[in-house]
Amino acid sequence: MADTDISADGRKNTADRNSRIAVSGHQNVGEHRSCCRLSVCTGNGDRCIVVAHDLSEQLGTGQHRNTGSFCSGKFRIVRMDGCGINNKVGSRKNVFCLLTVENLCAKRSQVAGQVTFFCIGTGNEADKRHHFYNEIPDQQTSQTVEIRVGEQVTGFTMELWTSIPNILSIALTSPSGETTTRIPIRVNSRTDFEFLYERTKVTIDYRLIVEKGTAELIFFRFDQPSPGIWKIEVEPVRIIDGRYHLWLPVSEFLSGEVYFLDSNPDYTILNPGNSASPVTVSYYDGANGAVALASGRGYSRNDRIEPSITAPGINVKGALPSGRFAVRSGASISCAVTAGTVALLLEWILKKMGTPGIDAFQIQSILILGAVRAPGKEFPNREWGYGQLNLFNTFNEIRML
């Protein structure tokens, strides 16, 4: 994607600084074909910009896909679509990813007169069958998790998470029936298995106490996996509530068909959408009012309420370079819509109302107060969060505060 119209400081070079609201956009072609860059000029010569940047170095992972930011002299809004990481709060990379988001918020909030606000999409993984969840009821019960691996898959990773003081161990069974014994738990240990008939290598890492978290992580690496049904025997070593999750990578990082036979669409928000301060946005179809099947669902692994709200994300028409327009769908669309909404909201609060300052949590609270909640549904919930984004209703709530 060309960035010739974006200056070094991230601002759009434009001669028209007097227009009330001027909008332009740029396409970011990707797997979902739903990533856009939105530029907004507000009154009084201030500007807010959403641009697509690669923050992989800042986030400590090469799997972050689409990011961006609104920025002006008074406020900065960062739009971030989910990393190519599922809802696995606690791994080294993911903890770094989430903490970096929080640190960026904290550092930018220290700049005089500047407000930093993060908008993050939930991702598009709810219908991909890449999450498994279950509960082991007692110390004597083990459970079997089945994974379908298709042809031509060169390899994949997988993660099992449980919260301390639960402790789990595992055993593997290949499609031909070759089985490992239960793999003993050793702190920060690595075990390699070579399956004779399949010629598959599986590496398993135990992380009994994960950095910056209270969880056990079992990390799997499959190299040249044989197609068929792989089975993972999950055995309790110590059980309190028995809850555990397994996640596969997002679709873009799989070389073929890999999914759980008994999958669970919940807990599929991509990081850093599970961090506390940003607003995390799911998406729905404005034509029929139904939540999108692919829209990532909450909650976080620690059951914090996510997403915050939902916004339109199916067949949304937006601007492209040279005065063109295109229709896009996906989590990044609802995220960009929300970021634009926050830009207008901040202009009103900081410029029109003359409010001396406001932080990200206050903005998120205002959006939640103004969200529309359909009758007959319980809120918050895993699909809609606290309701549908509604800027008009949000302004009404501000008037009554």
Side-chain angles (χ1 to χ4, degrees):
M1 178 179 61
D3 286 328
T4 55
D5 59 331
I6 301 299
S7 60
D9 66 353
R11 296 173 181 269
K12 184 175 177 62
N13 298 321
T14 177
D16 182 10
R17 296 177 60 88
N18 299 317
S19 59
R20 197 66 187 151
I21 297 292
V23 180
S24 65
H26 295 271
Q27 178 182 8
N28 181 11
V29 179
E31 179 72 18
H32 297 294
R33 300 188 302 279
S34 60
C35 310
C36 65
R37 179 172 71 210
L38 175 68
S39 301
V40 180
C41 275
T42 62
N44 300 321
D46 290 321
R47 277 179 291 183
C48 321
I49 297 177
V50 169
V51 295
H53 285 304
D54 181 4
L55 291 189
S56 58
E57 291 183 4
Q58 298 178 37
L59 293 173
T61 170
Q63 297 180 0
H64 192 85
R65 188 160 52 251
N66 302 303
T67 65
S69 63
F70 276 100
C71 56
S72 79
K74 292 290 285 185
F75 50 86
R76 181 179 181 87
I77 307 165
V78 176
R79 176 183 68 86
M80 304 177 69
D81 299 333
C83 291
I85 313 166
N86 279 331
N87 187 336
K88 307 179 284 288
V89 179
S91 73
R92 186 183 187 100
K93 283 188 175 181
N94 294 318
V95 165
F96 186 79
C97 182
L98 297 187
L99 292 180
T100 302
V101 171
E102 302 296 344
N103 290 339
L104 287 173
C105 283
K107 289 180 180 178
R108 288 170 179 161
S109 295
Q110 295 171 5
V111 178
Q114 187 180 82
V115 174
T116 299
F117 186 85
F118 280 72
C119 297
I120 301 177
T122 58
N124 308 285
E125 284 286 305
D127 62 346
K128 304 303 187 294
R129 307 184 72 176
H130 291 161
H131 170 246
F132 177 92
Y133 170 80
N134 212 336
E135 299 178 11
I136 298 177
D138 53 59
Q139 194 78 28
Q140 290 72 43
T141 302
S142 61
Q143 295 180 345
T144 300
V145 181
E146 295 181 315
I147 305 169
R148 165 68 182 175
V149 178
E151 302 285 345
Q152 309 300 320
V153 175
T154 58
F156 64 93
T157 61
M158 181 174 61
E159 299 184 11
L160 184 152
W161 288 89
T162 189
S163 296
I164 298 296
N166 296 309
I167 299 178
L168 304 176
S169 65
I170 59 98
L172 291 175
T173 302
S174 71
S176 69
E178 188 175 355
T179 303
T180 69
T181 58
R182 189 176 91 169
I183 302 170
I185 295 178
R186 300 186 184 91
V187 176
N188 297 335
S189 66
R190 172 175 294 184
T191 306
D192 294 321
F193 291 97
E194 297 276 358
F195 287 87
L196 179 63
Y197 297 113
E198 280 80 8
R199 296 186 178 180
T200 297
K201 180 180 179 180
V202 180
T203 302
I204 297 173
D205 289 273
Y206 277 114
R207 291 290 183 268
L208 188 56
I209 301 177
V210 175
E211 301 93 332
K212 306 295 183 181
T214 56
E216 176 194 8
L217 164 65
I218 304 177
F219 191 86
F220 303 77
R221 296 178 181 87
F222 288 77
D223 185 19
Q224 300 299 323
S226 176
I229 306 299
W230 287 79
K231 297 180 181 180
I232 301 173
E233 193 77 11
V234 182
E235 303 181 14
V237 176
R238 178 181 299 148
I239 286 296
I240 299 297
D241 59 16
R243 301 175 60 189
Y244 67 97
H245 301 263
L246 288 100
W247 281 279
L248 291 162
V250 296
S251 302
E252 290 80 0
F253 297 103
L254 291 170
S255 58
E257 180 184 65
V258 184
Y259 60 86
F260 295 106
L261 294 186
D262 187 17
S263 62
N264 185 312
D266 297 332
Y267 303 96
T268 50
I269 295 176
L270 302 186
N271 283 340
N274 298 289
S275 47
S277 60
V279 58
T280 302
V281 189
S282 61
Y283 64 102
Y284 69 96
D285 188 342
N288 57 26
V291 69
L293 291 177
S295 177
R297 301 184 185 183
Y299 299 124
S300 72
R301 186 175 64 83
N302 297 322
D303 284 328
R304 185 176 58 253
I305 294 173
E306 301 289 357
S308 310
I309 55 174
T310 185
I314 300 294
N315 297 327
V316 176
K317 190 174 184 179
L320 295 178
S322 305
R324 296 179 296 124
F325 291 85
V327 175
R328 297 285 184 263
S329 298
S332 48
I333 299 303
S334 63
C335 186
V337 168
T338 304
T341 299
V342 173
L344 297 174
L345 186 59
L346 283 174
E347 182 196 15
W348 180 264
I349 293 173
L350 298 176
K351 293 289 186 181
K352 304 301 180 184
M353 296 180 63
T355 304
I358 190 168
D359 63 29
F361 289 99
Q362 291 172 308
I363 287 291
Q364 185 172 180
S365 297
I366 292 171
L367 291 176
I368 291 173
L369 283 171
V372 174
R373 287 169 275 276
K377 292 182 180 178
E378 182 178 346
F379 291 92
N381 59 52
R382 298 179 186 272
E383 296 85 13
W384 299 85
Y386 287 93
Q388 296 179 6
L389 176 70
N390 189 303
L391 183 58
F392 179 79
N393 200 50
T394 298
F395 278 122
N396 282 337
E397 290 292 337
I398 293 176
R399 289 195 307 169
M400 294 185 291
L401 291 178

